[in-house]
Amino acid sequence: MRVVIVSRGDQAPGLDHRDNDVAYVISGGPQVIPWARHIEDVGDLSDPALVLKAAGLCVTALGGVDAIVVLDPRDLYLGGLLRERLEVPGHSLAFLRGVLDDAAAKERVAAAGLSAPRFAQAATMAQVRRFVQELGSAAVVRPAGGRPVVVPYGLDPAIVFGAPELGPALVEEFVPGPVWHVDGLVHQGRPRFARASRYLGTRYGYERGEPLGSVERSDAEAETMTAFALACLRALGVADAVFQAELVQAESGPAFLGLDLHPGGPAAEVLREVHGADLARAWIGAQLGQAPGPFPPPVEHAGYLLVPGRPGRTLRWAVALAGRLPGLYGEAVPPAGHLFQPGEPAGVFRFRLPAAADVERSITAAISAFTFEST
């Protein structure tokens, strides 16, 4: 197989470079990759024209191309563009936009008769006010390129944003209820692996300094959320992909929040470590068009906890939790003197226990026990 890989410096895991003809478009990576037939270093992947030219040189060196593979989720759209322009099978740019764009995906899911928050595109603060009034409830405002903000019903959005005006934004209904994520793999439209987890907290809260936990579940609620996530994949035409779907468990039933077509960060890590389900390698295989191997059935419940750092501050000390909590099998805490970047955790903790309730208790205890100081 002739494969062009877009990389930010890493070598593709699980791909035999001796049995396949492999070329790389890299950004600041090694100049020599064992068994690679050709390497084009573009220095920066942000220029699509430059990357397309480099990919063309790779195709020439290989005598053609059968698959485009990206190794970083930030390059999903870039991979889609290359597949379109080079006429390579796989997820095209148009397909990815219809699945990964929040508004487009919610519209398609709702058109299939599945629940999704109501939404509207807004270009001015007046349009935001008007839609919130139409909803008659709180709304989530997602400015283009900015962080989402919850606007309580009855409160002027300008006060929430601290500004009289707002650029382009997606405004959607705030649906109360626990938020879940379902991680897995589908091949030829059939689920090969899927695991549902419920968040303790929210990603919105994490961005504002609150801990974010996640606990795998295997009860009737988890089955309902998994079935709904798979229905959303079918509505969006996703037949061959590693995915992470985010859903909210509303009073009326599950509702669709969004979809990613790549392994889901710490969730993928615990799935590999606890269940032997390596979604990172499966993601590469899906981009190559390969059928996945068997996944072992889960026998435990896993979970994780992210405690946010304080951006712009330097870590002075942190209390280690290893050996102090049931089921805690892994932790990652930066060393003293580390300068926190936006979104970076001060601690990442991974858990495994036979019962989901026990995992949740340990995560709750970790939230109380973990302390750190930064200046």
Side-chain angles (χ1 to χ4, degrees):
M1 177 176 279
R2 299 164 298 181
V3 185
V4 174
I5 297 171
V6 179
S7 169
R8 294 175 181 258
D10 298 323
Q11 185 171 332
L15 176 63
D16 193 324
H17 288 47
R18 291 171 291 184
D19 291 344
N20 297 279
D21 292 330
V22 182
Y24 279 78
V25 178
I26 63 172
S27 170
Q31 297 302 308
V32 176
I33 297 176
W35 304 103
R37 287 279 303 274
H38 189 77
I39 298 174
E40 288 287 332
D41 188 349
V42 297
D44 185 359
L45 295 175
S46 63
D47 185 344
L50 186 63
V51 174
L52 185 61
K53 180 180 178 181
L57 294 173
C58 288
V59 172
T60 299
L62 297 178
V65 60
D66 302 303
I68 301 290
V69 172
V70 300
L71 304 182
D72 191 296
R74 292 173 291 180
D75 301 320
L76 276 171
Y77 283 135
L78 187 57
L81 174 65
L82 295 179
R83 293 185 193 101
E84 275 191 357
R85 297 292 181 86
L86 299 175
E87 299 182 343
V88 178
H91 294 161
S92 67
L93 181 59
F95 173 83
L96 291 171
R97 283 176 171 164
V99 170
L100 302 180
D101 178 80
D102 279 344
K106 287 183 174 73
E107 186 171 20
R108 294 174 64 191
V109 165
L114 301 168
S115 179
R118 293 171 290 170
F119 70 90
Q121 301 283 357
T124 66
M125 195 68 79
Q127 290 175 341
V128 173
R129 292 189 189 98
R130 190 178 307 119
F131 185 63
V132 172
Q133 287 297 319
E134 291 175 3
L135 287 175
S137 65
V140 180
V141 181
R142 305 179 186 275
R147 299 193 308 175
V149 174
V150 175
V151 177
Y153 181 65
L155 186 62
D156 190 339
I159 295 176
V160 178
F161 279 92
E165 201 42 83
L166 181 70
L170 178 68
V171 188
E172 67 180 46
E173 174 187 14
F174 175 78
V175 180
V179 178
W180 293 63
H181 59 95
V182 178
D183 300 81
L185 167 69
V186 289
H187 177 65
Q188 296 181 346
R190 296 177 57 193
R192 301 298 296 268
F193 179 86
R195 195 69 166 161
S197 303
R198 193 171 76 176
Y199 283 120
L200 304 177
T202 65
R203 291 202 293 178
Y204 176 82
Y206 178 84
E207 292 177 352
R208 283 149 183 81
E210 300 171 7
L212 174 63
S214 171
V215 179
E216 290 180 357
R217 301 277 294 271
S218 57
D219 52 15
E221 289 181 329
E223 292 178 2
T224 297
M225 302 306 283
T226 299
F228 183 81
L230 295 174
C232 291
L233 291 179
R234 291 191 293 271
L236 294 169
V238 178
D240 294 277
V242 167
F243 68 90
Q244 182 180 78
E246 288 211 340
L247 319 167
V248 59
Q249 189 179 14
E251 287 187 4
S252 58
F256 175 81
L257 294 180
L259 180 68
D260 285 323
L261 295 184
H262 59 81
E269 190 171 6
V270 297
L271 288 171
R272 175 178 55 81
E273 294 171 341
V274 177
H275 307 303
D278 193 340
L279 293 185
R281 289 204 174 204
W283 184 41
I284 304 298
Q287 294 180 78
L288 293 170
Q290 297 175 343
F295 285 84
V299 295
E300 291 183 288
H301 291 79
Y304 65 84
L305 169 66
L306 306 177
V307 179
R310 300 183 179 109
R313 294 190 178 186
T314 300
L315 180 66
R316 293 188 59 193
W317 55 263
V319 174
L321 299 184
R324 297 175 54 192
L325 295 170
L328 175 61
Y329 74 89
E331 70 174 14
V333 178
H338 180 79
L339 178 64
F340 288 114
Q341 302 300 315
E344 186 179 12
V348 180
F349 306 93
R350 305 188 302 283
F351 301 82
R352 60 188 303 169
L353 284 165
D358 294 333
V359 174
E360 184 167 344
R361 275 191 288 269
S362 278
I363 291 177
T364 301
I367 292 172
S368 300
F370 181 64
T371 57
F372 67 97
E373 182 175 312
S374 58
T375 56

